[in-house]
Amino acid sequence: MAIDSDLAARLAMQYEPATYRRRIAGHDVIIHCHHYNARLQRTIEGARGIDGKGIIVGAAETVFADQLARALRPDDDEARRWAVAELLYRHLGFGRIDLSQVGAGIVTADSSHFVEGWLAGLGESADNVCSFTEGYVQGAVYAVTGAAVRVREVECMARGAERCRFEVDRGERPPVTPNRKEPPIPAPREPGAGWLRSPHVDEQAIIDAVVGMPMVGDDAGLIPAFSVYLANMPADFYNRICIGFVEAMRGLGRDKTAIRLLVSDAEHCGMNTFRGIMHSPEWDGLIAPMVRDRADALHAIIAISNALGWGDWHVTAHTPRSLALESRYGYEAVGYREFRGLAAAPQCAMLTGVAAGVMELVYGEGTVEERYGTFSAREERCVSCGEASCNFAVEQVE
Ligand SMILES: [Zn+2]
Ligand SMILES: [Zn+2]
């Protein structure tokens, strides 16, 4: 269906400069690429002894039931409610779903962010891969009709099918979990002290340009930009799946392994996403003229990541072999406080991995795999533990 001005207003993105957050339909959304999203899914679903798929499906159901409810209006008739559900999915960049036969228990999808990510990075799959879409459709059915259903994918493009096909099972099941959170902790209002800048890099111009780019799904519901597919993922989804994964692994005594895996996925993500960005026409046009040396490239990359909603983070010390970063309002730390309260240990696996990945990209040589692991990062303090900011230290590995 066409996007009229009413729907466009409901789904318009608001950028909050003070916190570097992007907000769509009442949810902070974080821009990540298809490599990261598919890898994160493989990590969580591939872990033995836990129900990783259940974590992904349940988080998507809960979060999108909530986001869709905020996008709907009391006078929307049922046809319009289904249209909003299709449109939100496409708008955020997850692909294109057809809900026109949902009453008969059939949903199809002919393009998919997750299938693209899976095929690009992980190869053909023996299993159907669209757990995320199963959860999204469950959330949509709940938001539109109030019914809790199960959705199961029966054919998947990742296994060579022409389109993904889902069946809706209306049998007994537990109610949909509400997206219950504590109110957010207060966001910092004043600029921080001790942030390093490059005299050549106009960080605000970069942020304004990236925020001004229309990062919404095309007709197929995909966002091809910077040589990757991007998507606007609600922060609550990332937080729910990562917290759920680490807690499930803790039950097996493997929570440290779980965090290491999440850091590793982000380390790859940092290199893949920013390598794509550095080879894009957008970089050549706007950023390359500001970049005189590798340190400038690093400052530009951090500015871009702030425009993508990653962390309100800033360089506090930097040499070619080391980097220190401070993040005051990263979504992992703030989300942990909202969902779980104070943490006993730092929680920001994504920022930790990306911090290493960025140094590997800027100062390393060779392929992504050759660069991987040549820098190590650790989070020394975290907002989730009650500190005023998250602090990351990156060192070259000897
Ligand atoms: Zn599929
Ligand atoms: Zn943190």
Side-chain angles (χ1 to χ4, degrees):
M1 75 179 267
I3 304 182
D4 55 43
S5 59
D6 165 49
L7 290 180
R10 295 189 205 183
L11 303 184
M13 188 274 285
Q14 285 120 32
Y15 185 73
E16 295 174 8
T19 53
Y20 304 88
R21 292 297 184 93
R22 309 169 70 96
R23 179 161 277 247
I24 294 176
H27 277 251
D28 287 349
V29 296
I30 314 297
I31 294 194
H32 274 297
C33 73
H34 65 315
H35 298 293
Y36 180 61
N37 288 330
R39 264 184 187 278
L40 202 51
Q41 179 191 355
R42 183 184 61 171
T43 291
I44 294 172
E45 294 193 351
R48 280 202 212 140
I50 66 167
D51 179 13
K53 183 179 168 78
I55 291 171
I56 303 258
V57 173
E61 173 185 80
T62 287
V63 171
F64 292 107
D66 189 82
Q67 193 180 23
L68 261 172
R70 294 164 189 259
L72 296 172
R73 299 291 177 264
D75 58 350
D76 289 339
D77 63 19
E78 189 169 325
R80 192 159 176 87
R81 294 161 82 86
W82 289 120
V84 173
E86 284 183 358
L87 184 61
L88 179 67
Y89 187 87
R90 190 154 58 99
H91 187 77
L92 296 177
F94 299 130
R96 185 163 53 195
I97 47 172
D98 179 352
L99 297 171
S100 62
Q101 302 175 77
V102 68
I106 302 294
V107 174
T108 59
D110 65 357
S111 80
S112 164
H113 174 86
F114 277 88
V115 170
E116 295 294 341
W118 204 279
L119 293 179
L122 312 172
E124 284 243 344
S125 171
D127 300 313
N128 301 337
V129 304
C130 298
S131 315
F132 175 86
T133 308
E134 292 175 344
Y136 183 94
V137 175
Q138 289 181 188
V141 171
Y142 184 71
V144 171
T145 71
V149 299
R150 271 183 226 285
V151 172
R152 195 166 56 89
E153 186 175 34
V154 293
E155 287 174 31
C156 185
M157 290 185 285
R159 299 174 64 198
E162 193 180 332
R163 60 194 60 204
C164 300
R165 187 179 162 85
F166 303 85
E167 292 178 357
V168 182
D169 169 5
R170 295 174 191 281
E172 279 288 300
R173 55 150 285 184
V176 172
T177 306
N179 192 38
R180 195 168 289 129
K181 296 190 291 185
E182 296 300 316
I185 57 175
R189 301 220 161 267
E190 302 300 321
W195 295 346
L196 300 186
R197 307 227 182 251
S198 160
H200 313 128
V201 177
D202 185 343
E203 294 182 21
Q204 194 57 51
I206 293 172
I207 290 172
D208 291 344
V210 174
V211 169
M213 291 172 64
M215 290 190 188
V216 298
D218 59 17
D219 188 51
L222 300 174
I223 308 175
F226 304 130
S227 328
V228 295
Y229 290 109
L230 301 175
N232 298 279
M233 184 68 84
D236 288 356
F237 175 80
Y238 284 131
N239 289 329
R240 280 186 167 278
I241 64 171
C242 292
I243 293 169
F245 174 56
V246 172
E247 288 177 349
M249 291 285 276
R250 182 172 301 137
L252 305 174
R254 301 186 62 215
D255 46 323
K256 289 203 169 63
T257 301
I259 291 170
R260 203 160 54 236
L261 290 169
L262 296 177
V263 169
S264 164
D265 287 340
E267 191 171 334
H268 280 97
C269 158
M271 275 189 283
N272 275 315
T273 305
F274 285 114
R275 193 180 51 161
I277 290 175
M278 291 172 80
H279 290 94
S280 68
E282 295 91 339
W283 177 279
D284 289 341
L286 172 73
I287 297 168
M290 300 180 188
V291 174
R292 309 214 179 151
D293 56 25
R294 294 187 187 206
D296 289 344
L298 181 107
H299 283 280
I301 284 172
I302 297 297
I304 292 170
S305 72
N306 282 328
L308 301 179
W310 287 9
D312 174 13
W313 65 347
H314 306 274
V315 177
T316 55
H318 176 210
T319 75
R321 300 168 61 84
S322 68
L323 173 69
L325 292 159
E326 175 184 52
S327 161
R328 299 188 303 169
Y329 208 65
Y331 67 87
E332 298 168 288
V334 173
Y336 193 93
R337 293 282 295 271
E338 290 171 339
F339 283 117
R340 291 290 186 271
L342 280 174
Q347 296 294 321
C348 301
M350 196 283 295
L351 288 179
T352 302
V354 167
V358 164
M359 286 297 276
E360 288 160 355
L361 182 66
V362 171
Y363 292 104
E365 304 289 343
T367 64
V368 164
E369 283 311 319
E370 285 162 355
R371 295 170 192 231
Y372 175 78
T374 56
F375 281 82
S376 74
R378 69 180 190 283
E379 186 174 13
E380 297 177 314
R381 285 182 292 280
C382 185
V383 166
S384 70
C385 304
E387 306 281 356
S389 64
C390 301
N391 291 79
F392 304 89
V394 188
E395 301 278 344
Q396 191 169 38
V397 174
E398 295 303 326

